[in-house]
Amino acid sequence: MTGLLDGHLAFVTGGGSGIGQGIAEGYAREGARVIAADVNLVGAEETARHVKDAGGEAWAMKLDVTDMQGVQSMARKVEAGIGPVSILVNNAGIVRRATIDSGNAIDDWNDTVAVNITGLFNCVHSFQDQLKATKGRVINIGSIQSFVHTPNSVAYTTSKGAVKNFTIGMAAELAPFGVRVNAIGPGLIFTPLNEAGIQQQPEMLERFMRHIPMGRPGKPEDIVGPAIFLASDLSQYVTGVLIPSDGGYLTV
Ligand SMILES: NC(=O)c1ccc[n+]([C@@H]2O[C@H](COP(=O)([O-])OP(=O)(O)OC[C@H]3O[C@@H](n4cnc5c(N)ncnc54)[C@H](O)[C@@H]3O)[C@@H](O)[C@H]2O)c1
C-alpha cells in the first residue's frame, strides 16, 4: 500500500506526548520513518514503540529544543546515522497560566520564550541544510493563541503569535530552496499540557466550550490530518499559512 509520506524522514519535537505523539504515529501510518525527539525520553520511546508495533520504522531521542548546541549535534547525528530529515515538526511547547504579577512571572516568560520561540529557531537553523537537500517541509505548531488571547497566559499568547510570524518569515526565505513552511493552530485539545489546568479550574473548560461551535474539545487526532496535508504533496503550492484546527473557536 502506498502512503502520502512514503520515502520521508520526519523529525517531531515533543514527539513523546499528546499532539506530537499523534502526529508521529500518523506520519508513520502514511509511510514516513519517524524520529520522536523529546526532553522526556520515556514518552518518545513509547511513541517509537507504538510505531514499530504497527509495522513502521521509528527512533526515540532525548532532546531539549532550547539547547542550540544539543540540537545541532543531534541534527548531525541524525543525518549521519539515519539520513537527511525531510519533514521537521516544531511541536514541543509549554504553557504556564499565571498573571504578570505572580511570583513566577519572570521564569514563566523566559521558559516560554525559550521553548516556544527559540526552540523553533534552533531546530530550523540546525536542520536547514537537510531540508534544502530534500526540498523538505516544516510544520510549526502554533495555537488559536497565535490570533487571540485566553486568560492568564500572556507569555504563551506572545510566543504563539511569534510562531505565526516565524512561519511567514521562514516560508519566504526558504521557498527558493523548495522548502515549504506552514503552521497549525490547534484549539483546545485534551492532552497532558492542559489536563491539570482544567482539573484545577473547571471554569476554564466552560469558557473554552462557549467558544467551540462544534460542541466538543479536540483530541490529538484532530491535528494529525492537517499535519499530514501540510507535510505531503497535497499541499505542494501552500506555504506560509497557519491552519486553525479548533472546532470553530476563532469564529465566535
Ligand atoms: N493541547 C492544546 O490544547 C494545545 C492547543 C494549542 C496549541 N498546542 C500546542 O501543541 C504543542 C503540543 O502540545 P501538547 O498539548 O501535545 O502538549 P504535551 O505536554 O502533551 O506535549 C508536549 C511535549 O513537548 C515536550 N517538551 C517540552 N519542552 C521541551 C523541550 N524544551 N524540548 C523538547 N521537548 C519538550 C514535553 O516533554 C511533551 O512531551 C505545543 O506547542 C502546544 O503549545 C496545544
Side-chain angles (χ1 to χ4, degrees):
M1 221 170 75
T2 54
L4 288 167
L5 302 178
D6 280 347
H8 280 282
L9 175 63
F11 188 89
V12 184
T13 72
S17 176
I19 292 170
Q21 184 170 69
I23 291 174
E25 293 178 18
Y27 280 0
R29 285 196 297 274
E30 289 298 334
R33 299 182 299 150
V34 296
I35 299 164
D38 203 301
V39 75
N40 170 13
L41 182 60
V42 173
E45 284 172 342
E46 181 184 89
T47 305
R49 198 169 52 248
H50 290 173
V51 170
K52 288 180 195 161
D53 287 349
E57 223 179 323
W59 295 262
M61 298 188 182
K62 187 173 171 69
L63 177 75
D64 180 349
V65 296
T66 67
D67 169 13
M68 176 52 121
Q69 279 191 341
V71 183
Q72 281 177 337
S73 81
M74 173 153 297
R76 285 192 295 270
K77 190 173 118 186
V78 165
E79 186 173 26
I82 304 173
V85 164
S86 57
I87 302 170
L88 169 63
V89 184
N90 281 312
N91 164 79
I94 57 171
V95 62
R96 305 260 175 83
R97 287 199 183 273
T99 50
I100 196 161
D101 58 3
S102 81
N104 292 327
I106 296 170
D107 284 347
D108 287 347
W109 176 270
N110 288 333
D111 292 348
T112 304
V113 167
V115 179
N116 294 7
I117 305 178
T118 308
L120 273 67
F121 173 82
N122 290 346
C123 291
V124 174
H125 190 275
S126 300
F127 283 99
Q128 59 181 312
D129 292 342
Q130 298 176 45
L131 291 164
K132 287 175 182 172
T134 57
K135 300 202 182 308
R137 297 97 211 251
V138 179
I139 292 97
N140 299 318
I141 304 301
S143 168
I144 47 175
Q145 288 187 235
S146 299
F147 301 98
V148 295
H149 183 59
T150 72
N152 303 335
S153 54
V154 75
Y156 189 76
T157 298
T158 306
S159 72
K160 292 300 183 178
V163 171
K164 177 159 65 70
N165 273 8
F166 180 72
T167 300
I168 60 173
M170 284 288 85
E173 188 172 325
L174 295 178
F177 300 96
V179 179
R180 295 187 295 105
V181 183
N182 290 292
I184 301 171
L188 175 66
I189 309 294
F190 274 169
T191 70
L193 182 93
N194 49 33
E195 237 165 42
I198 283 172
Q199 270 163 18
Q200 284 155 17
Q201 295 175 287
E203 69 281 4
M204 277 292 291
L205 179 59
E206 285 163 30
R207 186 192 175 282
F208 273 104
M209 290 308 296
R210 281 197 296 278
H211 262 281
I212 305 178
M214 285 183 70
R216 67 165 176 87
K219 44 192 188 308
E221 200 57 31
D222 292 316
I223 308 305
V224 175
I228 291 171
F229 168 70
L230 291 174
S232 77
D233 290 342
L234 291 176
S235 58
Q236 62 186 2
Y237 199 51
V238 179
T239 199
V241 305
L242 190 157
I243 301 177
S245 182
D246 63 357
Y249 187 100
L250 294 171
T251 63
V252 290

